[in-house]
Amino acid sequence: MVHSKKLYITTPIYYVNDAPHIGHLYTTLACDMIARFMRLNGIDVKFVTGTDAHGQKVEKAALAAGKSPQEFVDEVSLNFRNLATMMQFTHDDFIQTTQIRHIKAAQHLWQQLIKNDEIYLGAYSGWYAIRDEAYYQESELIDGKAPTGADVEWVTEPSYFFRLSKWQDKLLEFYNKNPDFIAPETRRNEVMRFVEGGLHDLSVSRTSFKWGIPVPNDPDHVMYVWLDALTNYITALGYPDQETSDFKDFWANSLHVVGKDILRFHAVYWPAFLMAADLPPPQRIFAHGWWTKDGEKISKSLGNTINPVHLVETYGRDAVRYFLLREVPFGNDGDFTDAALITRLNSDLANSYGNLVQRVLSFIAKTCGGVVPSPDKLVAADNALLSQASDLLPLLETEINKQALHKVVEHIWKLIAEANRYVDEQKPWSLKTTDQARMGTVLYVLADCIRQIAILTQPIVPEASARILDQLAVPSDQRTFAHLNAQLTPQISLPTPEGVFPRFTP
Ligand code: MSP
């Protein structure tokens, strides 16, 4: 992906059986950070999210709410759209699987699979977990439940099957040839062990309920919700049109970001479906970990779900973004506590970043009448700081291409710490009486360094970054990574500085 000029990035499409919570926020946030970074780096990005409307789980939730499935999904889907709007996510499309474009795409894929003799009619007898929308082998059950803890029920019904078993070797060959297809590495190993263990043909239609996409030419069946849902990734690119649509340019550069719980569907079923329909698999699948709350699994029954709206109202969008992106290495599980968020907010945002900006800009305002001083001759310490700033982008590119989002944040905050150290060492306030020219140079170096930092933090804390760049009078068309080396114009007047990261006091 490093040299590619296009990126197609997707979130899973969320089940509309319930209100959005922090888990949904997290996956989309991670994608949003990547999408913003890539766009700023000159890459043509298509970022898609959406909702998964079909299946038994959603049908059951609609019934419980006393609504028709269509009415129910439109209502709940709106909560997910509103969350994305509230978070100011930068997706280019929001797909919902009840849309005509998607029904067409899923039915077309089905017909390709029929044409290639990859699907046959049979009968399913076995275990099904509605919560996971997944089939389980008897041998997988633990104490009569799915390995995820979900309840299972015995299902006997006519069903179409996908010949998954015959794809075992081809999948293994594909993983071996494409070592970067599944990340992180430990997850890749788990998937490979699973496939090596043998694959069973997969039931891909249901007859015991109606809330799904009708199987072409056999209206008694609706498609298995995962076949339907996974297809969304190509629907959004214009499939079945592969020639004149976005499919042509974007599919080869596709990145699916998913939670670890749904990796198997993405890394096993999805490439098998695609290859069976003569389509290439996506380029990469990254599985992130799960958040717990105060050490406990987040669930409605425990009453410890975290409401994203409440979180943002309490701490602000940027603080929530920063915490989720920084606190846990992307790929690992993490624990959410308000105390940890407040610590990050006060130390990394208010004390480190906020303080750097505040002390430099208010010093320029007070001592230089708000005018950026012209630099004099640069000394070693100045060049050291400036070159740390200008060396940063290649490092960040390497990390973002591995989806090491926390590393991107860490690298930038290391520079912030360096800049703070430079202020302490250079003591511009003492230079005011001893050497005004040198003071001007120090302030110029700092202002330019802050400009570069604020350009780089845009994918992480977009609102604060914009405010800092405004305070440095950086024109809005000079804020991409291509402008990192542009340098701040000396002698420009800056607006009155204002604090950007207030400390949080509970
Ligand atoms: N509808 C399917 C996805 C179909 S994609 C073709 C689905 N939906 S979901 O709403 O149940 O979950 C969506 C995402 O939220 C998953 O990536 C899941 O990992 C994530 N999370 C749900 N709870 C989570 C946490 N507690 N922590 C982190 N992410 C979690 O699965």
Side-chain angles (χ1 to χ4, degrees):
M1 212 167 291
V2 190
H3 303 292
S4 158
K5 285 280 165 224
K6 301 228 178 251
L7 172 70
Y8 178 45
I9 182 162
T10 65
T11 74
I13 48 171
Y14 303 108
Y15 284 128
V16 286
N17 62 319
D18 207 352
H21 60 69
I22 191 170
H24 308 119
L25 176 78
Y26 186 54
T27 319
T28 317
L29 169 61
C31 292
D32 186 66
M33 172 181 167
I34 299 172
R36 286 176 189 259
F37 185 105
M38 296 302 188
R39 288 192 199 104
L40 287 165
N41 211 17
I43 290 170
D44 184 11
V45 174
K46 187 168 172 109
F47 167 22
V48 176
T49 186
T51 45
D52 189 351
H54 292 129
Q56 226 174 337
K57 167 151 132 171
V58 172
E59 191 188 60
K60 217 172 120 182
L63 272 174
K67 306 216 161 119
S68 76
Q70 186 66 61
E71 194 189 350
F72 180 75
V73 300
D74 288 343
E75 227 173 84
V76 183
S77 175
L78 199 61
N79 297 334
F80 283 85
R81 283 177 192 269
N82 290 345
L83 173 69
T85 308
M86 179 202 69
M87 287 305 295
Q88 300 184 353
F89 288 146
T90 59
H91 49 289
D92 301 289
D93 196 353
F94 191 104
I95 191 166
Q96 149 115 332
T97 51
T98 47
Q99 292 163 350
I100 302 288
R101 60 173 172 164
H102 176 68
I103 294 170
K104 274 194 192 152
Q107 291 184 331
H108 188 87
L109 183 69
W110 180 280
Q111 273 161 328
Q112 291 304 111
L113 294 173
I114 292 277
K115 197 175 89 194
N116 290 351
D117 189 30
E118 297 286 349
I119 285 181
Y120 61 92
L121 186 60
Y124 180 76
S125 266
W127 296 105
Y128 192 78
I130 298 180
R131 196 180 85 189
D132 303 342
E133 295 284 16
Y135 302 94
Y136 290 104
Q137 300 293 317
E138 178 89 35
S139 58
E140 287 179 286
L141 303 188
I142 302 166
D143 297 331
K145 288 190 186 256
T148 56
D151 288 331
V152 290
E153 61 180 33
W154 185 259
V155 171
T156 306
E157 59 186 5
S159 173
Y160 284 93
F161 284 84
F162 171 70
R163 298 187 195 281
L164 184 62
S165 57
K166 83 169 220 210
W167 287 93
Q168 179 178 352
D169 292 342
K170 293 210 179 71
L171 281 169
L172 290 170
E173 193 186 311
F174 178 76
Y175 303 144
N176 283 322
K177 271 202 195 135
N178 298 278
D180 294 331
F181 176 62
I182 303 166
E185 182 81 25
T186 47
R187 301 266 167 237
R188 173 175 190 262
N189 294 338
E190 281 166 24
V191 169
M192 290 191 63
R193 295 302 87 81
F194 171 75
V195 175
E196 281 161 4
L199 296 174
H200 300 270
D201 286 355
L202 179 72
S203 163
V204 285
S205 76
R206 305 289 313 270
T207 40
S208 47
F209 66 95
K210 287 270 156 251
W211 184 236
I213 297 182
V215 163
N217 307 319
D218 198 344
D220 288 345
H221 293 250
V222 292
M223 282 183 207
Y224 171 40
V225 66
W226 271 101
L227 174 55
D228 157 352
L230 288 161
T231 309
N232 97 84
Y233 297 130
I234 53 176
T235 304
L237 291 182
Y239 179 85
D241 177 0
Q242 293 176 52
E243 291 312 315
T244 61
S245 67
D246 277 348
F247 187 92
K248 194 161 167 266
D249 293 332
F250 282 99
W251 186 241
N253 303 298
S254 45
L255 168 66
H256 298 323
V257 178
V258 302
K260 63 179 184 180
D261 53 316
I262 54 172
L263 180 59
R264 189 180 292 184
F265 300 96
H266 284 82
V268 182
Y269 300 172
W270 183 222
F273 293 153
L274 288 164
M275 290 193 280
D278 306 316
L279 292 168
Q283 191 189 25
R284 182 167 164 94
I285 298 166
F286 187 96
H288 67 68
W290 267 51
W291 284 93
T292 50
K293 167 91 167 82
D294 302 313
E296 303 237 37
K297 189 173 160 41
I298 298 172
S299 82
K300 252 207 319 193
S301 52
L302 286 174
N304 65 349
T305 55
I306 304 164
N307 176 349
V309 177
H310 176 68
L311 213 56
V312 165
E313 278 169 359
T314 312
Y315 301 110
R317 253 187 306 262
D318 277 351
V320 171
R321 287 179 71 104
Y322 181 82
F323 175 74
L324 294 175
L325 294 169
R326 172 66 180 83
E327 185 70 0
V328 172
F330 197 55
N332 291 10
D333 292 337
D335 189 43
F336 183 96
T337 66
D338 286 82
L341 194 158
I342 294 167
T343 302
R344 285 272 172 217
L345 200 173
N346 286 341
S347 70
D348 300 9
L349 296 182
N351 287 358
S352 292
Y353 195 7
N355 196 29
L356 172 70
V357 176
Q358 180 79 10
R359 55 185 180 157
V360 171
L361 293 190
S362 55
F363 195 72
I364 293 179
K366 266 193 250 135
T367 317
C368 315
V371 174
V372 175
S374 302
D376 198 8
K377 205 167 134 337
L378 299 187
V379 303
D382 309 333
N383 287 322
L385 183 67
L386 288 172
S387 63
Q388 269 204 42
S390 58
D391 288 349
L392 207 50
L393 183 60
L395 220 62
L396 304 185
E397 286 173 327
T398 308
E399 304 294 4
I400 202 112
N401 285 325
K402 292 189 285 191
Q403 292 79 44
L405 309 185
H406 57 292
K407 287 276 170 95
V408 172
V409 182
E410 268 176 47
H411 285 306
I412 303 173
W413 259 258
K414 251 188 230 152
L415 175 62
I416 292 173
E418 280 306 314
N420 269 320
R421 216 181 335 269
Y422 172 92
V423 180
D424 297 341
E425 281 166 13
Q426 300 300 321
K427 302 187 181 41
W429 50 88
S430 321
L431 292 168
K432 192 178 152 193
T433 45
T434 56
D435 189 345
Q436 291 234 345
R438 177 67 198 145
M439 178 192 77
T441 306
V442 168
L443 291 176
Y444 179 83
V445 167
L446 280 164
D448 194 58
C449 187
I450 293 173
R451 179 190 64 90
Q452 296 188 55
I453 291 169
I455 288 180
L456 292 169
T457 54
Q458 290 175 101
I460 305 158
V461 284
E463 289 170 90
S465 308
R467 267 183 276 136
I468 296 168
L469 291 166
D470 288 346
Q471 294 187 30
L472 282 168
V474 177
S476 53
D477 60 355
Q478 288 175 33
R479 297 180 178 188
T480 75
F481 295 168
H483 298 99
L484 282 168
N485 296 327
Q487 292 179 353
L488 200 62
T489 319
Q491 298 307 320
I492 46 160
S493 285
L494 303 183
T496 314
E498 284 166 19
V500 273
F501 294 112
R503 280 185 72 79
F504 183 85
T505 33

